[in-house]
Amino acid sequence: MMGAPAIINLDEKFGEFSDHWNPRIVGAYNGNELRLAKLQGDFAWHSHAETDELFLVVKGAIGIEFRDGVRRLGQGEMIVVPRGIEHRPFAEEEAHVLLIDREGEPNTGVNPSHLTRAKLETL
């Protein structure tokens, strides 16, 4: 029998790294990874063919550009991007975001770019 699960302190985890667009895995459940990322500037256009993607803004604000417009999210807001929908996240100033992606899903989905991370670090 396992003991009680550990508490994950998001502020502490965000304090362990400073680079942008490089998600870190902080937990997993039911085949999904809980990833933390600091965003600033523009990401690449991409989509995830087989899985939805959740963005929850923990600190700051982000925008996500879609082919038919932009959605802007502030602290405490989240959005689920359905599988197959092209999107391009961006942040004018540094933002802290919790992402939920399927285990092993590339951060750029089916669109490899210079921002693709081959293997994500676990904190």
Side-chain angles (χ1 to χ4, degrees):
M1 186 171 169
M2 295 180 58
I7 293 171
I8 300 168
N9 183 303
L10 298 181
D11 283 339
E12 287 177 9
K13 295 294 185 185
F14 277 115
E16 292 183 29
F17 63 96
S18 61
D19 55 344
H20 300 119
W21 306 112
N22 188 7
R24 273 41 175 221
I25 300 167
V26 295
Y29 76 99
N30 297 334
N32 293 302
E33 292 174 343
L34 304 172
R35 302 173 177 183
L36 299 183
K38 291 182 179 179
L39 313 185
Q40 188 168 359
D42 295 336
F43 198 63
W45 278 100
H46 69 286
S47 64
H48 302 271
E50 309 273 329
T51 183
D52 302 336
E53 183 175 31
L54 181 140
F55 292 78
L56 168 64
V57 180
V58 176
K59 180 180 175 187
I62 68 168
I64 302 180
E65 188 174 1
F66 295 92
R67 294 297 182 186
D68 66 350
V70 174
R71 303 288 183 274
R72 294 190 177 272
L73 293 87
Q75 189 165 309
E77 294 183 318
M78 67 182 200
I79 191 170
V80 176
V81 178
R83 70 191 72 196
I85 300 295
E86 281 190 298
H87 58 288
R88 186 187 66 82
F90 63 92
E92 288 150 9
E93 298 191 16
E94 185 175 87
H96 296 183
V97 176
L98 168 70
L99 303 158
I100 300 178
D101 277 308
R102 182 175 64 177
E103 188 174 344
E105 179 71 13
N107 65 320
T108 54
V110 297
N111 310 85
S113 78
H114 70 285
L115 295 167
T116 302
R117 304 296 180 212
K119 182 167 176 17
L120 300 183
E121 178 184 351
T122 299
L123 298 180

